[in-house]
PDB file of all heavy atoms in Angstrom:
ATOM      1  N   ALA A   1     118.625 109.926  92.586  1.00 97.00           N
ATOM      2  CA  ALA A   1     117.589 110.657  91.846  1.00 97.00           C
ATOM      3  C   ALA A   1     116.238 109.974  91.996  1.00 97.00           C
ATOM      4  O   ALA A   1     115.206 110.640  92.160  1.00 97.00           O
ATOM      5  CB  ALA A   1     117.981 110.743  90.365  1.00 97.00           C
ATOM      6  N   TYR A   2     116.225 108.632  91.941  1.00 97.00           N
ATOM      7  CA  TYR A   2     114.981 107.884  92.158  1.00 97.00           C
ATOM      8  C   TYR A   2     114.409 108.202  93.538  1.00 97.00           C
ATOM      9  O   TYR A   2     113.209 108.426  93.695  1.00 97.00           O
ATOM     10  CB  TYR A   2     115.237 106.370  92.091  1.00 97.00           C
ATOM     11  CG  TYR A   2     115.541 105.802  90.733  1.00 97.00           C
ATOM     12  CD1 TYR A   2     116.267 104.621  90.613  1.00 97.00           C
ATOM     13  CD2 TYR A   2     115.103 106.409  89.559  1.00 97.00           C
ATOM     14  CE1 TYR A   2     116.552 104.070  89.375  1.00 97.00           C
ATOM     15  CE2 TYR A   2     115.391 105.866  88.319  1.00 97.00           C
ATOM     16  CZ  TYR A   2     116.112 104.699  88.228  1.00 97.00           C
ATOM     17  OH  TYR A   2     116.392 104.152  87.006  1.00 97.00           O
ATOM     18  N   HIS A   3     115.286 108.169  94.552  1.00 97.00           N
ATOM     19  CA  HIS A   3     114.859 108.411  95.931  1.00 97.00           C
ATOM     20  C   HIS A   3     114.246 109.805  96.072  1.00 97.00           C
ATOM     21  O   HIS A   3     113.173 109.966  96.681  1.00 97.00           O
ATOM     22  CB  HIS A   3     116.052 108.257  96.877  1.00 97.00           C
ATOM     23  CG  HIS A   3     115.698 108.378  98.323  1.00 97.00           C
ATOM     24  ND1 HIS A   3     115.528 109.606  98.943  1.00 97.00           N
ATOM     25  CD2 HIS A   3     115.450 107.439  99.269  1.00 97.00           C
ATOM     26  CE1 HIS A   3     115.214 109.412 100.207  1.00 97.00           C
ATOM     27  NE2 HIS A   3     115.161 108.107 100.438  1.00 97.00           N
ATOM     28  N   LYS A   4     114.913 110.783  95.496  1.00 97.00           N
ATOM     29  CA  LYS A   4     114.421 112.160  95.572  1.00 97.00           C
ATOM     30  C   LYS A   4     113.065 112.296  94.885  1.00 97.00           C
ATOM     31  O   LYS A   4     112.141 112.928  95.413  1.00 97.00           O
ATOM     32  CB  LYS A   4     115.444 113.098  94.927  1.00 97.00           C
ATOM     33  CG  LYS A   4     115.084 114.572  95.037  1.00 97.00           C
ATOM     34  CD  LYS A   4     116.184 115.438  94.427  1.00 97.00           C
ATOM     35  CE  LYS A   4     115.835 116.924  94.537  1.00 97.00           C
ATOM     36  NZ  LYS A   4     116.899 117.774  93.933  1.00 97.00           N
ATOM     37  N   ASP A   5     112.937 111.672  93.727  1.00 97.00           N
ATOM     38  CA  ASP A   5     111.697 111.760  92.962  1.00 97.00           C
ATOM     39  C   ASP A   5     110.551 111.048  93.678  1.00 97.00           C
ATOM     40  O   ASP A   5     109.441 111.567  93.775  1.00 97.00           O
ATOM     41  CB  ASP A   5     111.909 111.156  91.571  1.00 97.00           C
ATOM     42  CG  ASP A   5     110.681 111.317  90.687  1.00 97.00           C
ATOM     43  OD1 ASP A   5     110.151 112.433  90.594  1.00 97.00           O
ATOM     44  OD2 ASP A   5     110.245 110.317  90.091  1.00 97.00           O
ATOM     45  N   LEU A   6     110.824 109.841  94.177  1.00 98.00           N
ATOM     46  CA  LEU A   6     109.786 109.088  94.894  1.00 98.00           C
ATOM     47  C   LEU A   6     109.355 109.809  96.167  1.00 98.00           C
ATOM     48  O   LEU A   6     108.172 109.826  96.516  1.00 98.00           O
ATOM     49  CB  LEU A   6     110.288 107.684  95.234  1.00 98.00           C
ATOM     50  CG  LEU A   6     110.222 106.645  94.112  1.00 98.00           C
ATOM     51  CD1 LEU A   6     110.989 105.382  94.517  1.00 98.00           C
ATOM     52  CD2 LEU A   6     108.783 106.302  93.776  1.00 98.00           C
ATOM     53  N   THR A   7     110.306 110.387  96.865  1.00 97.00           N
ATOM     54  CA  THR A   7     109.992 111.135  98.086  1.00 97.00           C
ATOM     55  C   THR A   7     109.033 112.283  97.778  1.00 97.00           C
ATOM     56  O   THR A   7     108.045 112.500  98.497  1.00 97.00           O
ATOM     57  CB  THR A   7     111.281 111.684  98.733  1.00 97.00           C
ATOM     58  OG1 THR A   7     112.127 110.580  99.101  1.00 97.00           O
ATOM     59  CG2 THR A   7     110.965 112.507  99.966  1.00 97.00           C
ATOM     60  N   ALA A   8     109.318 112.998  96.699  1.00 98.00           N
ATOM     61  CA  ALA A   8     108.443 114.116  96.301  1.00 98.00           C
ATOM     62  C   ALA A   8     107.063 113.605  95.889  1.00 98.00           C
ATOM     63  O   ALA A   8     106.039 114.214  96.217  1.00 98.00           O
ATOM     64  CB  ALA A   8     109.083 114.888  95.150  1.00 98.00           C
ATOM     65  N   GLN A   9     107.028 112.478  95.179  1.00 97.00           N
ATOM     66  CA  GLN A   9     105.752 111.921  94.732  1.00 97.00           C
ATOM     67  C   GLN A   9     104.896 111.476  95.914  1.00 97.00           C
ATOM     68  O   GLN A   9     103.680 111.725  95.941  1.00 97.00           O
ATOM     69  CB  GLN A   9     105.989 110.740  93.792  1.00 97.00           C
ATOM     70  CG  GLN A   9     106.524 111.110  92.428  1.00 97.00           C
ATOM     71  CD  GLN A   9     106.623 109.913  91.513  1.00 97.00           C
ATOM     72  OE1 GLN A   9     105.701 109.099  91.411  1.00 97.00           O
ATOM     73  NE2 GLN A   9     107.745 109.771  90.841  1.00 97.00           N
ATOM     74  N   VAL A  10     105.513 110.802  96.874  1.00 98.00           N
ATOM     75  CA  VAL A  10     104.780 110.344  98.053  1.00 98.00           C
ATOM     76  C   VAL A  10     104.254 111.538  98.849  1.00 98.00           C
ATOM     77  O   VAL A  10     103.103 111.554  99.289  1.00 98.00           O
ATOM     78  CB  VAL A  10     105.669 109.454  98.951  1.00 98.00           C
ATOM     79  CG1 VAL A  10     105.014 109.218 100.309  1.00 98.00           C
ATOM     80  CG2 VAL A  10     105.939 108.116  98.265  1.00 98.00           C
ATOM     81  N   ALA A  11     105.094 112.528  99.035  1.00 97.00           N
ATOM     82  CA  ALA A  11     104.701 113.699  99.823  1.00 97.00           C
ATOM     83  C   ALA A  11     103.524 114.457  99.203  1.00 97.00           C
ATOM     84  O   ALA A  11     102.668 114.975  99.914  1.00 97.00           O
ATOM     85  CB  ALA A  11     105.902 114.634  99.983  1.00 97.00           C
ATOM     86  N   SER A  12     103.468 114.492  97.865  1.00 97.00           N
ATOM     87  CA  SER A  12     102.447 115.294  97.193  1.00 97.00           C
ATOM     88  C   SER A  12     101.212 114.496  96.774  1.00 97.00           C
ATOM     89  O   SER A  12     100.199 115.088  96.406  1.00 97.00           O
ATOM     90  CB  SER A  12     103.042 115.970  95.952  1.00 97.00           C
ATOM     91  OG  SER A  12     103.461 114.992  95.013  1.00 97.00           O
ATOM     92  N   GLU A  13     101.273 113.158  96.833  1.00 97.00           N
ATOM     93  CA  GLU A  13     100.168 112.332  96.340  1.00 97.00           C
ATOM     94  C   GLU A  13      98.915 112.500  97.199  1.00 97.00           C
ATOM     95  O   GLU A  13      98.979 112.439  98.425  1.00 97.00           O
ATOM     96  CB  GLU A  13     100.580 110.853  96.314  1.00 97.00           C
ATOM     97  CG  GLU A  13      99.539 109.917  95.708  1.00 97.00           C
ATOM     98  CD  GLU A  13      99.186 110.305  94.284  1.00 97.00           C
ATOM     99  OE1 GLU A  13     100.039 110.133  93.410  1.00 97.00           O
ATOM    100  OE2 GLU A  13      98.055 110.798  94.083  1.00 97.00           O
ATOM    101  N   THR A  14      97.787 112.693  96.543  1.00 96.00           N
ATOM    102  CA  THR A  14      96.509 112.845  97.258  1.00 96.00           C
ATOM    103  C   THR A  14      95.532 111.719  96.941  1.00 96.00           C
ATOM    104  O   THR A  14      94.516 111.588  97.618  1.00 96.00           O
ATOM    105  CB  THR A  14      95.847 114.191  96.889  1.00 96.00           C
ATOM    106  OG1 THR A  14      95.651 114.245  95.466  1.00 96.00           O
ATOM    107  CG2 THR A  14      96.721 115.359  97.327  1.00 96.00           C
ATOM    108  N   ASP A  15      95.831 110.939  95.918  1.00 95.00           N
ATOM    109  CA  ASP A  15      94.960 109.813  95.564  1.00 95.00           C
ATOM    110  C   ASP A  15      95.264 108.629  96.467  1.00 95.00           C
ATOM    111  O   ASP A  15      96.404 108.192  96.574  1.00 95.00           O
ATOM    112  CB  ASP A  15      95.168 109.434  94.094  1.00 95.00           C
ATOM    113  CG  ASP A  15      94.203 108.362  93.634  1.00 95.00           C
ATOM    114  OD1 ASP A  15      94.424 107.169  93.967  1.00 95.00           O
ATOM    115  OD2 ASP A  15      93.211 108.691  92.958  1.00 95.00           O
ATOM    116  N   LYS A  16      94.224 108.114  97.101  1.00 94.00           N
ATOM    117  CA  LYS A  16      94.404 107.058  98.102  1.00 94.00           C
ATOM    118  C   LYS A  16      95.005 105.783  97.519  1.00 94.00           C
ATOM    119  O   LYS A  16      95.831 105.124  98.148  1.00 94.00           O
ATOM    120  CB  LYS A  16      93.056 106.737  98.761  1.00 94.00           C
ATOM    121  CG  LYS A  16      92.377 107.943  99.381  1.00 94.00           C
ATOM    122  CD  LYS A  16      90.946 107.639  99.786  1.00 94.00           C
ATOM    123  CE  LYS A  16      90.198 108.885 100.218  1.00 94.00           C
ATOM    124  NZ  LYS A  16      90.038 109.854  99.102  1.00 94.00           N
ATOM    125  N   ILE A  17      94.582 105.405  96.325  1.00 95.00           N
ATOM    126  CA  ILE A  17      95.058 104.168  95.720  1.00 95.00           C
ATOM    127  C   ILE A  17      96.404 104.374  95.032  1.00 95.00           C
ATOM    128  O   ILE A  17      97.299 103.527  95.128  1.00 95.00           O
ATOM    129  CB  ILE A  17      94.009 103.614  94.738  1.00 95.00           C
ATOM    130  CG1 ILE A  17      92.773 103.159  95.536  1.00 95.00           C
ATOM    131  CG2 ILE A  17      94.574 102.458  93.924  1.00 95.00           C
ATOM    132  CD1 ILE A  17      91.640 102.610  94.700  1.00 95.00           C
ATOM    133  N   ALA A  18      96.575 105.506  94.356  1.00 96.00           N
ATOM    134  CA  ALA A  18      97.837 105.778  93.658  1.00 96.00           C
ATOM    135  C   ALA A  18      99.007 105.931  94.624  1.00 96.00           C
ATOM    136  O   ALA A  18     100.167 105.729  94.241  1.00 96.00           O
ATOM    137  CB  ALA A  18      97.693 107.040  92.816  1.00 96.00           C
ATOM    138  N   LEU A  19      98.725 106.272  95.880  1.00 97.00           N
ATOM    139  CA  LEU A  19      99.793 106.448  96.868  1.00 97.00           C
ATOM    140  C   LEU A  19     100.532 105.152  97.164  1.00 97.00           C
ATOM    141  O   LEU A  19     101.755 105.139  97.310  1.00 97.00           O
ATOM    142  CB  LEU A  19      99.202 107.015  98.169  1.00 97.00           C
ATOM    143  CG  LEU A  19     100.160 107.108  99.365  1.00 97.00           C
ATOM    144  CD1 LEU A  19     101.274 108.101  99.083  1.00 97.00           C
ATOM    145  CD2 LEU A  19      99.393 107.502 100.629  1.00 97.00           C
ATOM    146  N   LEU A  20      99.798 104.041  97.230  1.00 98.00           N
ATOM    147  CA  LEU A  20     100.376 102.788  97.709  1.00 98.00           C
ATOM    148  C   LEU A  20     101.598 102.316  96.914  1.00 98.00           C
ATOM    149  O   LEU A  20     102.643 102.028  97.509  1.00 98.00           O
ATOM    150  CB  LEU A  20      99.309 101.698  97.768  1.00 98.00           C
ATOM    151  CG  LEU A  20      99.785 100.343  98.313  1.00 98.00           C
ATOM    152  CD1 LEU A  20     100.316 100.490  99.737  1.00 98.00           C
ATOM    153  CD2 LEU A  20      98.646  99.331  98.273  1.00 98.00           C
ATOM    154  N   PRO A  21     101.537 102.174  95.575  1.00 98.00           N
ATOM    155  CA  PRO A  21     102.720 101.703  94.858  1.00 98.00           C
ATOM    156  C   PRO A  21     103.926 102.618  95.004  1.00 98.00           C
ATOM    157  O   PRO A  21     105.074 102.140  94.994  1.00 98.00           O
ATOM    158  CB  PRO A  21     102.246 101.618  93.397  1.00 98.00           C
ATOM    159  CG  PRO A  21     101.006 102.411  93.322  1.00 98.00           C
ATOM    160  CD  PRO A  21     100.376 102.350  94.666  1.00 98.00           C
ATOM    161  N   LYS A  22     103.689 103.909  95.187  1.00 98.00           N
ATOM    162  CA  LYS A  22     104.794 104.842  95.371  1.00 98.00           C
ATOM    163  C   LYS A  22     105.442 104.636  96.738  1.00 98.00           C
ATOM    164  O   LYS A  22     106.671 104.672  96.872  1.00 98.00           O
ATOM    165  CB  LYS A  22     104.294 106.278  95.217  1.00 98.00           C
ATOM    166  CG  LYS A  22     103.805 106.585  93.803  1.00 98.00           C
ATOM    167  CD  LYS A  22     103.165 107.947  93.687  1.00 98.00           C
ATOM    168  CE  LYS A  22     102.662 108.183  92.259  1.00 98.00           C
ATOM    169  NZ  LYS A  22     101.997 109.482  92.098  1.00 98.00           N
ATOM    170  N   VAL A  23     104.611 104.405  97.742  1.00 98.00           N
ATOM    171  CA  VAL A  23     105.124 104.123  99.084  1.00 98.00           C
ATOM    172  C   VAL A  23     105.934 102.823  99.075  1.00 98.00           C
ATOM    173  O   VAL A  23     107.030 102.753  99.642  1.00 98.00           O
ATOM    174  CB  VAL A  23     103.972 104.022 100.101  1.00 98.00           C
ATOM    175  CG1 VAL A  23     104.445 103.363 101.400  1.00 98.00           C
ATOM    176  CG2 VAL A  23     103.409 105.402 100.395  1.00 98.00           C
ATOM    177  N   ILE A  24     105.392 101.798  98.425  1.00 98.00           N
ATOM    178  CA  ILE A  24     106.080 100.509  98.363  1.00 98.00           C
ATOM    179  C   ILE A  24     107.432 100.653  97.669  1.00 98.00           C
ATOM    180  O   ILE A  24     108.451 100.127  98.138  1.00 98.00           O
ATOM    181  CB  ILE A  24     105.215  99.464  97.633  1.00 98.00           C
ATOM    182  CG1 ILE A  24     103.958  99.165  98.448  1.00 98.00           C
ATOM    183  CG2 ILE A  24     106.000  98.183  97.390  1.00 98.00           C
ATOM    184  CD1 ILE A  24     102.926  98.343  97.701  1.00 98.00           C
ATOM    185  N   ALA A  25     107.461 101.375  96.545  1.00 98.00           N
ATOM    186  CA  ALA A  25     108.710 101.563  95.809  1.00 98.00           C
ATOM    187  C   ALA A  25     109.744 102.300  96.654  1.00 98.00           C
ATOM    188  O   ALA A  25     110.936 101.955  96.649  1.00 98.00           O
ATOM    189  CB  ALA A  25     108.444 102.328  94.521  1.00 98.00           C
ATOM    190  N   LEU A  26     109.297 103.302  97.411  1.00 98.00           N
ATOM    191  CA  LEU A  26     110.216 104.071  98.245  1.00 98.00           C
ATOM    192  C   LEU A  26     110.741 103.229  99.400  1.00 98.00           C
ATOM    193  O   LEU A  26     111.944 103.246  99.707  1.00 98.00           O
ATOM    194  CB  LEU A  26     109.517 105.327  98.772  1.00 98.00           C
ATOM    195  CG  LEU A  26     110.365 106.285  99.617  1.00 98.00           C
ATOM    196  CD1 LEU A  26     111.643 106.690  98.886  1.00 98.00           C
ATOM    197  CD2 LEU A  26     109.546 107.531  99.978  1.00 98.00           C
ATOM    198  N   LEU A  27     109.869 102.467 100.054  1.00 98.00           N
ATOM    199  CA  LEU A  27     110.309 101.589 101.141  1.00 98.00           C
ATOM    200  C   LEU A  27     111.269 100.518 100.629  1.00 98.00           C
ATOM    201  O   LEU A  27     112.277 100.204 101.270  1.00 98.00           O
ATOM    202  CB  LEU A  27     109.095 100.928 101.806  1.00 98.00           C
ATOM    203  CG  LEU A  27     108.200 101.842 102.648  1.00 98.00           C
ATOM    204  CD1 LEU A  27     106.948 101.091 103.090  1.00 98.00           C
ATOM    205  CD2 LEU A  27     108.950 102.378 103.860  1.00 98.00           C
ATOM    206  N   PHE A  28     110.965  99.960  99.467  1.00 98.00           N
ATOM    207  CA  PHE A  28     111.816  98.926  98.868  1.00 98.00           C
ATOM    208  C   PHE A  28     113.204  99.493  98.580  1.00 98.00           C
ATOM    209  O   PHE A  28     114.230  98.844  98.836  1.00 98.00           O
ATOM    210  CB  PHE A  28     111.168  98.423  97.571  1.00 98.00           C
ATOM    211  CG  PHE A  28     111.729  97.126  97.060  1.00 98.00           C
ATOM    212  CD1 PHE A  28     111.162  95.920  97.428  1.00 98.00           C
ATOM    213  CD2 PHE A  28     112.827  97.113  96.209  1.00 98.00           C
ATOM    214  CE1 PHE A  28     111.677  94.716  96.950  1.00 98.00           C
ATOM    215  CE2 PHE A  28     113.346  95.927  95.732  1.00 98.00           C
ATOM    216  CZ  PHE A  28     112.763  94.720  96.103  1.00 98.00           C
TER     217      PHE A  28
END
């Protein structure tokens, strides 16, 4: 569920700075 949610958040994020922690969490 975390993976699915993070994937959706990364795909839809448009804020340049807010994207980074979501990408890091998904890669981790």
Side-chain angles (χ1 to χ4, degrees):
Y2 289 155
H3 185 279
K4 184 177 180 180
D5 184 49
L6 279 170
T7 298
Q9 289 185 46
V10 168
S12 63
E13 185 58 70
T14 58
D15 185 283
K16 304 169 188 64
I17 292 179
L19 173 65
L20 182 60
K22 295 173 182 178
V23 165
I24 294 169
L26 183 54
L27 289 173
F28 196 92

